[in-house]
Amino acid sequence: MPARFARLFLALGCLIAAPVPAQGSDAGNTDLAERFAALQKHDAYLQQTGWRLLTGNAAFCTDTEKSVGMLVQDAGAYGQAKAIRNVRGIEGDFFVQAVVPGAGADQAGITAGAELIAVDGKPLRSLPLSESEPWQRLVTINRMITESLGASGTVALSLLHAENAGTVTARGNVICAGHLELISNSANASTNGYRVAIGEDSPAFAYPEAEFAALLAHELAHVVLGHTQWLDKHGRKRKNVRQTEREADRLMPWLLANAGYPPEAALQFMNRWGPRHSGGIFRKRTHDGWDERAEFIAAELPLVAQSMAQHGSANWPSDFARQPGIIRARN
C-alpha cells in the first residue's frame, strides 16, 4: 500500500481488523451490534479529544488542513458487508461513524449512523470496490472532501437515514494536519508522521479525559514536530529515536495547554501509566525510564506557564527548546 494512501485510509478509521460474527444468526447480529456500539463509543471519544488538540494548536502548526470533524466507514471493506449494512441500517456502504461536537459536520446537522451517498453531488455508490485494495474507496472519499474544503472552505454532503436526510453544506475547520485512528485488538499508541493510532485496548481509555489527551498529545507531538521525516533523513539509530521520544514527552504539556486541558495532566498521565506499563528493566531502550520522562515533563510546566502569561497561549514554536540536533520540523 502506498504510504500516503495508507495514511489517508487509516485516518478515516477503517476497522477491517474488527472480528465479524457469523452472518445469519440472531446471536451473531447481536454480538456484531454490541461490537460496533463499543467501537463507535471509543471512536467518538477519540475523535472529540483529539479534535481539541488538533484545533487548539492549529495556529502553531507548520502544516494545516481543513476538516469537518466526521469519521466515515465503508461496510464494503469488511468481510461480511451485508451483516454490517444490517447492523448499521443502511442500504449502501458508506456511513458516518462519529461526528465531533461543534465541528462543521455537527453544525450542519450530520449525526453518527447517517448513510453518506454523495459528495458535492457525485454519487458514491458507483465507486468500485477493489478486493486487493479495499481501502481505496475511503481514500477517494477523503480526497473529495479535502479538495472541496481546500477550494471553497465547504463541502456538500448528501445523506440518508439522518435527522435531516438530504444534502447539507458543512464548513471546514482549520486543524493541524493529522488524523486519529482507532486500532482494533491493540493496546498500543503510535504515529506514522500523519496519523495518530490508538489501540482500542489502551489503558488510557479508563483514565481521566485530560490524561487520555496527554497520550494523544505525545503521539501528535511526533507529527507536528516532523519526527518521522527527521528520522527518515537522519536514520533510526537508538539515540535518534530517543531524542524524538524525549522531545515528544516534553511537548505534551504545551499541546495540552492550547487544547484547554491542564498541562499538568501530562505529568499525571506519566505517573499513572509509567509504573505499570513502561516495561521496567525490559523497556525499550529507545525511551527513557518513566520516572526520567516524568522529570522532563515536569521541567516544562513552568515554561508553559511563562509562555501562556506572555502570549496568552503556549507558543511552542518560539518558546519550546528543541532537543540537540533536531533543529526544526520537516527538515
Side-chain angles (χ1 to χ4, degrees), residues 18 33 66 134 136 189 206 212 223 243 253 271 283 292 303 322:
K66 289 184 178 180
Q136 276 285 6
F212 177 66
V223 176
Q243 286 282 70
N271 286 331
R283 66 177 170 81
E292 296 173 295
L303 303 178
R322 302 297 300 267

PDB file of all heavy atoms in Angstrom, residues 18 33 66 134 136 189 206 212 223 243 253 271 283 292 303 322:
ATOM      1  N   ALA A  18     -11.513  -5.627  12.799  1.00  0.00           N
ATOM      2  CA  ALA A  18     -12.528  -5.973  13.796  1.00  0.00           C
ATOM      3  C   ALA A  18     -13.178  -7.300  13.439  1.00  0.00           C
ATOM      4  O   ALA A  18     -13.591  -7.517  12.306  1.00  0.00           O
ATOM      5  CB  ALA A  18     -13.596  -4.883  13.857  1.00  0.00           C
ATOM      6  N   ALA A  33     -23.697  -5.995  16.669  1.00  0.00           N
ATOM      7  CA  ALA A  33     -24.246  -4.691  17.060  1.00  0.00           C
ATOM      8  C   ALA A  33     -23.560  -4.168  18.315  1.00  0.00           C
ATOM      9  O   ALA A  33     -23.224  -2.982  18.402  1.00  0.00           O
ATOM     10  CB  ALA A  33     -25.751  -4.811  17.279  1.00  0.00           C
ATOM     11  N   LYS A  66      -8.054  21.457   6.386  1.00  0.00           N
ATOM     12  CA  LYS A  66      -9.416  21.685   6.859  1.00  0.00           C
ATOM     13  C   LYS A  66     -10.143  20.357   6.990  1.00  0.00           C
ATOM     14  O   LYS A  66      -9.956  19.442   6.195  1.00  0.00           O
ATOM     15  CB  LYS A  66     -10.172  22.632   5.918  1.00  0.00           C
ATOM     16  CG  LYS A  66      -9.672  24.068   5.990  1.00  0.00           C
ATOM     17  CD  LYS A  66     -10.510  24.994   5.125  1.00  0.00           C
ATOM     18  CE  LYS A  66     -10.028  26.440   5.258  1.00  0.00           C
ATOM     19  NZ  LYS A  66     -10.839  27.366   4.421  1.00  0.00           N
ATOM     20  N   PRO A 134      -9.157  -2.685  -0.672  1.00  0.00           N
ATOM     21  CA  PRO A 134     -10.487  -2.215  -0.244  1.00  0.00           C
ATOM     22  C   PRO A 134     -10.460  -0.842   0.387  1.00  0.00           C
ATOM     23  O   PRO A 134     -11.512  -0.203   0.514  1.00  0.00           O
ATOM     24  CB  PRO A 134     -10.918  -3.291   0.771  1.00  0.00           C
ATOM     25  CG  PRO A 134      -9.636  -3.863   1.278  1.00  0.00           C
ATOM     26  CD  PRO A 134      -8.713  -3.853   0.104  1.00  0.00           C
ATOM     27  N   GLN A 136      -9.179   1.775  -0.920  1.00  0.00           N
ATOM     28  CA  GLN A 136      -9.124   2.821  -1.941  1.00  0.00           C
ATOM     29  C   GLN A 136     -10.369   3.698  -1.955  1.00  0.00           C
ATOM     30  O   GLN A 136     -10.290   4.897  -2.222  1.00  0.00           O
ATOM     31  CB  GLN A 136      -8.918   2.201  -3.328  1.00  0.00           C
ATOM     32  CG  GLN A 136      -7.473   1.900  -3.668  1.00  0.00           C
ATOM     33  CD  GLN A 136      -6.690   3.162  -4.017  1.00  0.00           C
ATOM     34  OE1 GLN A 136      -7.192   4.277  -3.899  1.00  0.00           O
ATOM     35  NE2 GLN A 136      -5.455   2.996  -4.426  1.00  0.00           N
ATOM     36  N   ALA A 189      -0.013   2.699  21.108  1.00  0.00           N
ATOM     37  CA  ALA A 189      -0.192   4.024  20.511  1.00  0.00           C
ATOM     38  C   ALA A 189       1.001   4.282  19.612  1.00  0.00           C
ATOM     39  O   ALA A 189       2.137   3.946  19.958  1.00  0.00           O
ATOM     40  CB  ALA A 189      -0.277   5.092  21.595  1.00  0.00           C
ATOM     41  N   ALA A 206      -9.450   4.432  30.166  1.00  0.00           N
ATOM     42  CA  ALA A 206     -10.054   4.444  31.504  1.00  0.00           C
ATOM     43  C   ALA A 206      -9.519   5.573  32.370  1.00  0.00           C
ATOM     44  O   ALA A 206      -9.966   5.743  33.501  1.00  0.00           O
ATOM     45  CB  ALA A 206      -9.794   3.098  32.192  1.00  0.00           C
ATOM     46  N   PHE A 212      -5.973  11.060  29.120  1.00  0.00           N
ATOM     47  CA  PHE A 212      -6.113  10.420  27.815  1.00  0.00           C
ATOM     48  C   PHE A 212      -5.619  11.363  26.725  1.00  0.00           C
ATOM     49  O   PHE A 212      -4.914  10.955  25.795  1.00  0.00           O
ATOM     50  CB  PHE A 212      -7.571  10.042  27.573  1.00  0.00           C
ATOM     51  CG  PHE A 212      -7.837   9.434  26.223  1.00  0.00           C
ATOM     52  CD1 PHE A 212      -7.310   8.209  25.881  1.00  0.00           C
ATOM     53  CD2 PHE A 212      -8.620  10.112  25.298  1.00  0.00           C
ATOM     54  CE1 PHE A 212      -7.559   7.645  24.634  1.00  0.00           C
ATOM     55  CE2 PHE A 212      -8.874   9.567  24.040  1.00  0.00           C
ATOM     56  CZ  PHE A 212      -8.342   8.323  23.704  1.00  0.00           C
ATOM     57  N   VAL A 223       4.033  14.167  15.221  1.00  0.00           N
ATOM     58  CA  VAL A 223       3.531  14.638  13.925  1.00  0.00           C
ATOM     59  C   VAL A 223       3.902  16.098  13.696  1.00  0.00           C
ATOM     60  O   VAL A 223       4.490  16.457  12.677  1.00  0.00           O
ATOM     61  CB  VAL A 223       2.002  14.446  13.829  1.00  0.00           C
ATOM     62  CG1 VAL A 223       1.476  15.035  12.524  1.00  0.00           C
ATOM     63  CG2 VAL A 223       1.638  12.970  13.948  1.00  0.00           C
ATOM     64  N   GLN A 243      15.924  10.723  21.158  1.00  0.00           N
ATOM     65  CA  GLN A 243      15.811  12.181  21.108  1.00  0.00           C
ATOM     66  C   GLN A 243      14.392  12.602  20.732  1.00  0.00           C
ATOM     67  O   GLN A 243      13.822  13.520  21.324  1.00  0.00           O
ATOM     68  CB  GLN A 243      16.808  12.755  20.094  1.00  0.00           C
ATOM     69  CG  GLN A 243      18.256  12.743  20.540  1.00  0.00           C
ATOM     70  CD  GLN A 243      18.564  13.874  21.502  1.00  0.00           C
ATOM     71  OE1 GLN A 243      18.117  13.874  22.647  1.00  0.00           O
ATOM     72  NE2 GLN A 243      19.327  14.851  21.053  1.00  0.00           N
ATOM     73  N   PRO A 253       2.797  18.887  27.513  1.00  0.00           N
ATOM     74  CA  PRO A 253       2.034  19.912  28.248  1.00  0.00           C
ATOM     75  C   PRO A 253       1.751  21.155  27.422  1.00  0.00           C
ATOM     76  O   PRO A 253       0.745  21.848  27.657  1.00  0.00           O
ATOM     77  CB  PRO A 253       2.920  20.218  29.452  1.00  0.00           C
ATOM     78  CG  PRO A 253       4.290  19.788  29.062  1.00  0.00           C
ATOM     79  CD  PRO A 253       4.099  18.612  28.151  1.00  0.00           C
ATOM     80  N   ASN A 271       2.844   9.526  35.452  1.00  0.00           N
ATOM     81  CA  ASN A 271       2.910   8.917  36.775  1.00  0.00           C
ATOM     82  C   ASN A 271       1.906   7.777  36.947  1.00  0.00           C
ATOM     83  O   ASN A 271       2.122   6.865  37.742  1.00  0.00           O
ATOM     84  CB  ASN A 271       2.670   9.978  37.853  1.00  0.00           C
ATOM     85  CG  ASN A 271       3.867  10.892  38.038  1.00  0.00           C
ATOM     86  OD1 ASN A 271       5.010  10.488  37.822  1.00  0.00           O
ATOM     87  ND2 ASN A 271       3.619  12.133  38.446  1.00  0.00           N
ATOM     88  N   ARG A 283      12.073  -2.345  29.332  1.00  0.00           N
ATOM     89  CA  ARG A 283      11.556  -1.274  28.480  1.00  0.00           C
ATOM     90  C   ARG A 283      12.412  -1.138  27.225  1.00  0.00           C
ATOM     91  O   ARG A 283      13.567  -1.550  27.179  1.00  0.00           O
ATOM     92  CB  ARG A 283      11.554   0.055  29.248  1.00  0.00           C
ATOM     93  CG  ARG A 283      12.940   0.561  29.603  1.00  0.00           C
ATOM     94  CD  ARG A 283      12.872   1.921  30.286  1.00  0.00           C
ATOM     95  NE  ARG A 283      14.157   2.310  30.834  1.00  0.00           N
ATOM     96  CZ  ARG A 283      15.144   2.844  30.128  1.00  0.00           C
ATOM     97  NH1 ARG A 283      14.977   3.044  28.842  1.00  0.00           N
ATOM     98  NH2 ARG A 283      16.279   3.164  30.705  1.00  0.00           N
ATOM     99  N   GLU A 292      12.255   9.183  34.619  1.00  0.00           N
ATOM    100  CA  GLU A 292      13.024  10.222  33.926  1.00  0.00           C
ATOM    101  C   GLU A 292      12.125  11.022  32.996  1.00  0.00           C
ATOM    102  O   GLU A 292      12.247  12.252  32.899  1.00  0.00           O
ATOM    103  CB  GLU A 292      14.157   9.585  33.128  1.00  0.00           C
ATOM    104  CG  GLU A 292      15.208   8.880  33.952  1.00  0.00           C
ATOM    105  CD  GLU A 292      16.199   8.142  33.082  1.00  0.00           C
ATOM    106  OE1 GLU A 292      15.806   7.177  32.396  1.00  0.00           O
ATOM    107  OE2 GLU A 292      17.379   8.543  33.072  1.00  0.00           O
ATOM    108  N   LEU A 303       7.739  26.551  32.148  1.00  0.00           N
ATOM    109  CA  LEU A 303       7.968  27.207  30.867  1.00  0.00           C
ATOM    110  C   LEU A 303       6.656  27.411  30.118  1.00  0.00           C
ATOM    111  O   LEU A 303       6.460  28.445  29.461  1.00  0.00           O
ATOM    112  CB  LEU A 303       8.940  26.378  30.023  1.00  0.00           C
ATOM    113  CG  LEU A 303      10.311  26.095  30.658  1.00  0.00           C
ATOM    114  CD1 LEU A 303      11.160  25.229  29.735  1.00  0.00           C
ATOM    115  CD2 LEU A 303      11.030  27.406  30.978  1.00  0.00           C
ATOM    116  N   ARG A 322      14.036  22.856  21.317  1.00  0.00           N
ATOM    117  CA  ARG A 322      14.171  21.564  20.652  1.00  0.00           C
ATOM    118  C   ARG A 322      15.339  20.772  21.225  1.00  0.00           C
ATOM    119  O   ARG A 322      16.275  21.326  21.782  1.00  0.00           O
ATOM    120  CB  ARG A 322      14.373  21.752  19.140  1.00  0.00           C
ATOM    121  CG  ARG A 322      13.267  22.510  18.409  1.00  0.00           C
ATOM    122  CD  ARG A 322      11.938  21.792  18.459  1.00  0.00           C
ATOM    123  NE  ARG A 322      11.954  20.485  17.864  1.00  0.00           N
ATOM    124  CZ  ARG A 322      11.628  20.216  16.597  1.00  0.00           C
ATOM    125  NH1 ARG A 322      11.264  21.187  15.782  1.00  0.00           N
ATOM    126  NH2 ARG A 322      11.629  18.973  16.132  1.00  0.00           N
TER     127      ARG A 322
END
